[in-house]
């Protein structure tokens, strides 16, 4: 059973003390994908063909740049940029004509801008994460169905970020039905709203501590309220 393979990382994420275990799952996959990209893999022709073709999104090129392997990154950028030059030189020979009217597609096709638009949506690291990530999400539902210990973990978690709360709502009806579905969503609602309200309270206490009347008061859980709320509102930032 495929999902069996993923129960360990999914359980690990739900065991982590964090504001969103789905973010924790993603982060683990992201770190692995960055390590893989900067490991010996870039010397292999198969992988190199893919990095040449896809390149990296803004977030991941920055993460790669922060790694120590500058030579590896330079080698990937070298052949990726050579491919871009080659492709765009060819496409730029096909000049678009001016748009004939508001409702007519400008000049038919515009190969250069279509190519660049498509390139913007591609990332070697994102794609590598995505494959496993969707299986991890599937594993959450598989565990919810059969594993009471996992149910207890989810219902006692600190909730989810807004983005992953929405994702669970979107995916749950595809994976669960009847009672299982309603129980899952009720549990997710409870931990999500409890978590958001709790961190919102921490943010308010952080603000109130700036009031001179609260000078010397116990900071409680307000010290890291901002990064924890950023994790809730802006997923993947931890
Ligand atoms: Zn999240
Ligand atoms: Zn990416």
């Amino acid at each position: 059973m495929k999902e069996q393979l993923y129960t360990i990382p999914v359980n690990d994420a739900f065991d982590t003390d964090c504001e969103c275990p789905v973010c924790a799952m993603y982060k683990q996959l992201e770190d692995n994908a960055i390590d893989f990209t900067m490991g010996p893999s870039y010397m292999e022709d198969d992988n190199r063909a893919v990095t040449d073709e896809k390149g990296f999104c803004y977030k991941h090129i920055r993460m790669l740049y922060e790694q120590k392997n500058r030579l590896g990154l330079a080698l990937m950028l070298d052949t990726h940029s050579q491919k871009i030059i080659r492709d765009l030189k060819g496409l730029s020979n096909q000049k678009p004509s001016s748009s004939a009217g508001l409702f007519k597609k400008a000049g038919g096709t515009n190969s250069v801008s279509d190519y660049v638009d498509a390139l913007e949506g591609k990332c070697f690291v994102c794609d590598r994460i995505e494959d496993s990530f969707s299986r991890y999400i599937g594993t959450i539902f598989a565990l919810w169905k059969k594993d009471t210990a996992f149910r207890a973990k989810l219902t006692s978690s600190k909730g989810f970020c807004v983005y992953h709360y929405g994702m669970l709502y979107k995916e749950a009806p595809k994976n669960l039905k009847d009672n299982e579905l309603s129980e899952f969503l009720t549990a997710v609602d409870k931990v999500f709203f409890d978590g958001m309200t709790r961190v919102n309270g921490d943010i308010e206490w952080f603000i109130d501590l700036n009031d001179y009347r609260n000078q010397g008061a116990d900071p409680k859980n307000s010290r890291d309220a901002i990064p924890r709320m950023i994790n809730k509102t802006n997923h993947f930032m931890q």
Side-chain angles (χ1 to χ4, degrees):
M1 187 182 167
K2 253 182 178 176
E3 272 120 5
Q4 207 72 39
L5 291 168
Y6 302 101
T7 56
I8 292 171
V10 171
N11 267 301
D12 283 351
F14 277 83
D15 286 332
T16 308
D17 180 21
C18 61
E19 296 295 347
C20 178
V22 184
C23 278
M25 280 164 28
Y26 186 91
K27 186 83 178 67
Q28 187 61 53
L29 288 170
E30 188 175 53
D31 289 345
N32 293 345
I34 294 285
D35 285 350
F36 175 82
T37 308
M38 295 274 57
S41 73
Y42 66 84
M43 295 306 289
E44 289 166 23
D45 289 346
D46 288 359
N47 287 315
R48 201 55 171 282
V50 186
T51 59
D52 285 354
E53 151 77 19
K54 293 181 179 173
F56 306 98
C57 70
Y58 184 62
K59 180 189 181 191
H60 290 135
I61 196 74
R62 284 178 60 189
M63 286 179 76
L64 294 171
Y65 186 62
E66 283 160 15
Q67 300 289 304
K68 292 197 178 72
N69 188 354
R70 289 281 161 89
L71 175 60
L73 185 57
L75 288 166
M76 281 187 278
L77 287 171
D78 178 33
T79 48
H80 175 51
S81 58
Q82 281 172 2
K83 177 167 167 37
I84 291 174
I85 293 167
R86 250 188 343 262
D87 290 349
L88 284 177
K89 271 198 175 159
L91 294 170
S92 65
N93 287 326
Q94 307 156 33
K95 297 279 186 289
S97 49
S98 67
S99 54
L102 262 181
F103 302 104
K104 200 172 163 188
K105 202 181 175 217
T109 57
N110 188 329
S111 309
V112 167
S113 72
D114 287 350
Y115 177 92
V116 174
D117 284 350
L119 190 60
E120 283 288 303
K122 293 177 187 170
C123 171
F124 178 77
V125 177
C126 281
D127 289 353
R128 202 173 157 79
I129 297 166
E130 194 45 51
D131 187 42
S132 302
F133 185 66
S134 55
R135 287 164 206 234
Y136 280 21
I137 296 290
T139 304
I140 294 177
F141 300 114
L143 285 169
W144 179 260
K145 280 191 227 176
K146 61 171 191 188
D147 186 339
T148 50
F150 179 78
R151 281 194 181 216
K153 267 182 213 179
L154 191 151
T155 50
S156 61
S157 74
K158 290 182 167 175
F160 301 95
C161 71
V162 177
Y163 181 75
H164 288 134
Y165 174 63
M167 181 181 280
L168 292 173
Y169 251 77
K170 188 176 170 191
E171 298 302 320
K174 299 177 198 166
N175 291 276
L176 301 170
K177 52 186 185 205
D178 306 329
N179 270 354
E180 275 172 347
L181 176 61
S182 67
E183 283 170 17
F184 178 80
L185 292 178
T186 303
V188 164
D189 281 347
K190 169 100 173 76
V191 291
F192 174 71
F193 290 112
D194 283 356
M196 286 294 283
T197 309
R198 170 179 47 78
V199 185
N200 175 260
D202 295 340
I203 283 279
E204 295 206 326
W205 187 232
F206 180 94
I207 296 165
D208 289 347
L209 281 176
N210 283 277
D211 189 321
Y212 70 96
R213 285 167 296 191
N214 290 321
Q215 234 178 17
D218 180 359
K220 298 184 217 167
N221 289 324
S222 68
R223 282 193 215 276
D224 61 348
I226 293 176
R228 283 187 295 108
M229 186 51 104
I230 289 174
N231 187 183
K232 291 287 196 200
T233 57
N234 301 64
H235 57 108
F236 310 151
M237 290 181 66
Q238 292 186 57

